[in-house]
Amino acid sequence: MKSSKRIPRAGLLPCFTLALGAAWALPGAAQSVAWAGGMGDRALLVIDGRAQVMGAGSVAGGVRVLRVSASAVDYEVDGMRLRLSPGASGPVVLGEGVSGGSASLVLRAGADQLYHVDCKVNGRATAGVVDSGASQVSMSLARAAALGIDYSRGRPTSIQTANGSVRGWAIRLERLAVGSLELRDVDAVVLDADLPHLLVGNSFLRRFRVTSQDGQITLARSN
């Protein structure tokens, strides 16, 4: 029988919680959003009955527009990302930055009881381990350098572990693929610590429905 219980810890790093700043504050949740027409890089949206001409970055009625194209408008309401197309009966839920890839991923624990998975960070391949006990996607300084990540531009922070404080830099990954699942804009931390894998924590996992059964886990898109 499937369950949503927590995945066994990978044992690579004690659990930590890192606040990366407040989410985008929206003035209120819109009850309805409709596409009324396109104007190049802007769209005419009807939000709760009021017409609004909006482009990327515009905010009105609790709706923040993320992207406008000839075929769709991507927008955000209360942290949920949605896509609206001309003539559509309603928006499609994108999740929090969900991009390409398949609908689900199944991983079986290895002999070491870890859930190993091939990952790509901004298109560059690296070895990863899924660990729901970690609050963030995490990597070592050496791995960040190998992946071409300039972590020095990140926000300096420190992580408290059982062995003391560890220096870190809070960053955001433009793209992170875990197996066949890919997300955009994923919060991560680069640590001055010896991590043998990219640690796939809850800043990635929370965007999926995660179930565990008979030594394997399944990550599925919630939409």
Side-chain angles (χ1 to χ4, degrees):
M1 184 175 183
K2 292 186 178 181
S3 67
S4 297
K5 63 184 179 182
R6 176 169 155 172
I7 304 166
R9 291 292 316 281
L12 298 178
L13 186 72
C15 178
F16 57 85
T17 301
L18 176 64
L20 294 179
W24 186 276
L26 294 174
Q31 299 300 309
S32 66
V33 181
W35 177 315
M39 303 177 180
D41 61 351
R42 296 185 297 170
L44 178 60
L45 301 181
V46 179
I47 303 171
D48 292 339
R50 294 188 60 184
Q52 305 276 353
V53 177
M54 302 178 70
S58 300
V59 179
V63 174
R64 180 190 178 209
V65 173
L66 305 173
R67 186 179 70 91
V68 177
S69 70
S71 59
V73 173
D74 292 355
Y75 65 96
E76 184 178 67
V77 178
D78 284 348
M80 180 178 290
R81 295 192 179 193
L82 303 104
R83 174 169 294 165
L84 191 63
S85 301
S89 58
V92 174
V93 178
L94 298 180
E96 300 179 36
V98 175
S99 56
S102 65
S104 64
L105 173 68
V106 178
L107 299 174
R108 182 168 292 278
D112 55 4
Q113 299 304 304
L114 302 181
Y115 293 97
H116 294 271
V117 61
D118 293 331
C119 299
K120 287 186 178 181
V121 176
N122 299 334
R124 297 194 181 190
T126 191
V129 165
V130 170
D131 183 0
S132 66
S135 62
Q136 300 289 332
V137 171
S138 311
M139 70 186 78
S140 66
L141 298 179
R143 189 170 301 274
L147 292 171
I149 295 173
D150 183 6
Y151 61 86
S152 65
R153 293 189 173 187
R155 181 172 63 82
T157 187
S158 63
I159 307 300
Q160 195 65 35
T161 74
N163 298 319
S165 182
V166 176
R167 289 191 308 158
W169 290 263
I171 62 172
R172 178 163 290 183
L173 303 176
E174 180 180 346
R175 287 181 295 135
L176 173 59
V178 175
S180 58
L181 302 175
E182 182 174 297
L183 297 180
R184 302 186 305 268
D185 299 329
V186 179
D187 290 333
V189 62
V190 178
L191 298 174
D192 188 6
D194 184 17
L195 295 178
H197 308 93
L198 175 74
L199 198 64
V200 182
N202 284 309
S203 58
F204 182 93
L205 299 176
R206 70 188 177 207
R207 304 183 189 183
F208 298 91
R209 185 176 66 256
V210 182
T211 56
S212 175
Q213 180 185 24
D214 300 331
Q216 71 179 28
I217 58 171
T218 300
L219 280 64
R221 297 187 188 277
S222 58
N223 59 318

